Amino acid sequence: MPVVWIMSMRLCRLLLPLALVSTGVVWGDALVFSQKAAAQGAVVRQIQVEGNRRVEPETVRSYLRFAVGDSYDPGKVNQSIKSLFATGLFSDVQIDRSGGIVYVTVVENPVISQVAFEGNSEIETDTLVSEVHLKPRSVFTRARVQADVQRILDVYRRQGRYAATVDPKIIELEQDRVNLVFEIAEGKATKVKGINFIGNNAFGDSQLRDVISTTENGWFDFLKGTAIYDPDRMNLDRELLRQFYLKNGYADAQVTVANAELDRDGSGFFITFAVEEGERYSFGSVSVDSTVTAINPEAVRGEIQTEEGEVYNAQLIDKSTEALTIAASEQGYAFARVRPRAYADPVSHTIAMTYTIEEGPRVYIERININGNTRTKDYVIRREFRLAEGDAYNPLLVDKAKKRLERLGIFEKVNVARRTGAAQDRVVLDVVLVEKSTGELSFGAGFSTAEGVIGDISITERNLMGNGQFLRLKLSGSLERMQVDLSFTEPRFLDMNLAAGFDLFHKEIDQTSESGFRSRRTGAGLRLGFPLTENLWMQTRYNLSRDEIFDISADASDAIKEAEGLTWTSLVGASITYDLRDHPKNPTKGMFFQLSNDFAGLGGDVQYARVQAEVRGYYPITENILFVSRAIGGHVAGWGGEDVRLLDLFFKGGETVRGFKRAGFGPRDLLTNDALGGTTYWATTAEVRFPIPLVPDELGIQGAVFADAGSLFGAGQASKDLGAACGTGATEKVCLVDSSAIRASVGASILWASPVGPIRMDIAKVLSKESYDEEQFFRFGAKTNF
């Protein structure tokens, strides 16, 4: 056989299988393509829904991306399945075709019959119910459950409980219903273990910790929530730090970092604030310019509170801008704008200020809308605006009204939004408010060496009947005192900046141990207060009271027996207060001055004039050491031939000069050792407060050393008239001793600003006294509110 033939036969044998395989592939592809084309081209003649119980078939069909008469398209089928799953009504969806009939088979999600919470003790169930979205009769889906689990965890994290876990459980019921139970393990509160500052040179860590609202973990944390980590509170603290630096001369200060890190065991956070202080500035030259020709800059210069040479204070710039704007408005230029411009000199570390008064755009208020005040009446809110519909729009005055609303203490949030009105020169102001609870029930208890166990209970309402009025009923007492007070205040009397009110009171005091008698005073008073300047306040008053001395001891002084009986007192009075302290409760610098006087005799049985004064000063020696000084004094005298009654005299002791008992110094009857009171007193105090070494600052414990001096003298005329027999051995007269000698003492104190109230312990050594004065080496006072 020829070689060529043999080679041809072998080649055919090799190529034949390959040809057959290749032909089969082509035929297979053609077959698949033919089938797909058939499916794609088939017409849907009928759509049949199966498996549905509650959902109507038409509802299912409405989510399909194809309809009867359309060509069957697998792409649209896939879109339909996704659309049905997206409704949340079904846990499974299948779409099949048989000829021209399309079968849509669904498995419905169950309906929730009840939502319950277990294990939650720190957070009320009502709070959790309001947070979750799944409710009874809603459709159950696992995605919604997981979303609600995260919402519950967010609630716990806002309460500082980052260790909380939530495990959802399902209890299957009949008729395709389920109960949903969130099993909660709350864990311990994740508290702030440490607060650190980086970059602070001008102020120490302890001083900056006093500025922020977050506190470190410590004793009595169960009484306050500031030691629990809260991201929102940390953002507030960042702003508080910045404002603190701007107030104290650091114009370039920035809080660059506010970071919270959870420790390894997850039990607490360490918060770090990074501060860039910059240089401390003082005010340079201060000037006023005006582009409004009718406004004389020199005429309004007195409104400026920023003075050359003083430490830079951003708050004073805002106050000066506000005062100049108001001054321009009062001169008839309601559209005036004041723009403060600061020019910093980094070489001399001064900031020159220029306040430019210019004409602003002429825009008028079309309408003021009040929203969110479900309880507070509209007029209570509107009266805080010094603007009304139709007035010129002044953004500074609007912002000032917003701050006044916030200071009322009856709103959680205040927001004033501006939007364009019916015309371009008209604006609408939308005031959106969130009210807060204004009622308060408080209890107090404590102990003092002067009165023994003390306590009080009060009911307070700061927004009475939605009128913005203040009402308080208070009952207080001790082993030697019982007092009931009812006070009412209208803060905006006659829609003016006047605080008017009345007081009803009843007070009984047992002075048997000091003076051998008990007293009772019942009456009422009217008062009217108003500001004279930003820091100067004046209050006037009228009181009518029924006063009685009774239950006099058989061995009491004759001077006290002479005073027994009932009298009526009718008096008018006024007081003026000048307050420059940096904080009303815990001042660290500034001064406080108060002068008051009373005049009795407008009717009633008694006639006297009384004046009292008090001055306090606070001077920081170093960052943590504070010098406090105080001077007080008073005098009372009868007029019209009338003597001063025993009840209207001054009784002084350890509350004035430490080291003495209550009513421990002053005029006294040596025969009975009863204190008789005096007409004139004075006292001074010098005290240095300092941190106690090795005691953590967060405990709020301070030490102090003090020196007190004072005197009480000038017995009443009745005591003087009966005092002639002193030293004669007579038993029915008064052995009166009355000296204006100085009483003085020195000592040490421990002050504790505890979470349950202020506590103070004083140990005093008397340096100067009269032989008949009564001493008290240790004095203790404590009170708590809860």
Side-chain angles (χ1 to χ4, degrees), residues 439-443 457-460 786:
E440 179 181 292
L441 173 64
S442 65
F443 303 87
I457 177 174
S458 65
I459 302 175
T460 305
F786 46 87

Side-chain angles (χ1 to χ4, degrees), residues 18-204:
L18 294 176
L20 292 174
V21 171
S22 175
T23 304
V25 170
V26 172
W27 288 346
D29 286 346
L31 179 62
V32 171
F33 176 78
S34 176
Q35 290 174 345
K36 287 186 177 180
Q40 183 79 20
V43 177
V44 178
R45 298 195 309 272
Q46 183 181 352
I47 299 175
Q48 187 169 335
V49 178
E50 298 177 346
N52 58 308
R53 296 184 179 181
R54 300 184 308 274
V55 183
E56 294 294 330
E58 286 303 320
T59 302
V60 176
R61 295 187 184 101
S62 67
Y63 289 101
L64 299 178
R65 295 294 184 263
F66 58 89
V68 174
D70 294 345
S71 297
Y72 185 84
D73 186 347
K76 290 184 178 180
V77 170
N78 187 44
Q79 294 177 6
S80 300
I81 293 175
K82 293 180 180 179
S83 177
L84 287 170
F85 271 119
T87 64
L89 298 173
F90 310 105
S91 60
D92 190 23
V93 177
Q94 293 183 4
I95 298 180
D96 301 304
R97 183 183 68 86
S98 176
I101 303 176
V102 176
Y103 295 93
V104 181
T105 306
V106 297
V107 178
E108 294 180 349
N109 277 320
V111 173
I112 296 176
S113 176
Q114 183 180 359
V115 178
F117 303 88
E118 294 181 356
N120 58 307
S121 59
E122 295 296 328
I123 297 179
E124 296 290 338
T125 299
D126 291 342
T127 302
L128 297 177
V129 169
S130 64
E131 288 289 334
V132 299
H133 288 184
L134 287 174
K135 308 292 183 183
R137 294 186 298 278
S138 62
V139 177
F140 170 89
T141 68
R142 296 188 180 277
R144 291 178 180 177
V145 171
Q146 291 304 317
D148 279 346
V149 166
Q150 187 58 48
R151 292 186 182 96
I152 296 172
L153 290 175
D154 289 342
V155 174
Y156 275 94
R157 286 174 180 173
R158 290 198 296 268
Q159 298 291 330
R161 295 184 176 272
Y162 282 76
T165 60
V166 180
D167 186 16
K169 296 294 181 65
I170 301 171
I171 302 174
E172 296 184 358
L173 305 175
E174 298 177 349
Q175 299 179 352
D176 207 17
R177 295 178 299 114
V178 295
N179 285 342
L180 176 60
V181 180
F182 292 101
E183 294 184 353
I184 301 171
E186 295 181 321
K188 294 183 178 180
T190 312
K191 298 184 178 181
V192 177
K193 286 189 171 182
I195 302 175
N196 303 309
F197 300 89
I198 300 174
N200 55 310
N201 298 314
F203 304 100

Side-chain angles (χ1 to χ4, degrees), residues 668-681:
R668 188 175 298 274
D669 183 355
L670 292 183
L671 295 178
T672 62
N673 203 35
D674 289 331
L676 302 179
T679 58
T680 304
Y681 78 93

Side-chain angles (χ1 to χ4, degrees), residues 445-495:
F447 178 82
S448 76
T449 51
E451 296 186 55
V453 178
I454 58 177
D456 65 64
I457 177 174
S458 65
I459 302 175
T460 305
E461 174 56 61
R462 298 189 304 274
N463 189 15
L464 183 65
M465 305 295 290
N467 295 314
Q469 299 162 337
F470 178 90
L471 180 67
R472 171 179 289 169
L473 175 62
K474 183 176 182 179
L475 172 65
S476 60
S478 66
L479 298 178
E480 298 183 353
R481 174 179 54 88
M482 192 277 287
Q483 186 171 348
V484 181
D485 295 283
L486 176 66
S487 299
F488 171 82
T489 302
E490 168 56 69
R492 297 281 296 167
F493 184 59
L494 299 178
D495 283 337

Side-chain angles (χ1 to χ4, degrees), residues 326-347:
I326 294 174
S329 299
E330 290 174 348
Q331 294 185 25
Y333 296 93
F335 299 103
R337 298 288 185 271
V338 179
R339 299 185 183 275
R341 292 182 171 87
Y343 305 94
D345 185 351
V347 177

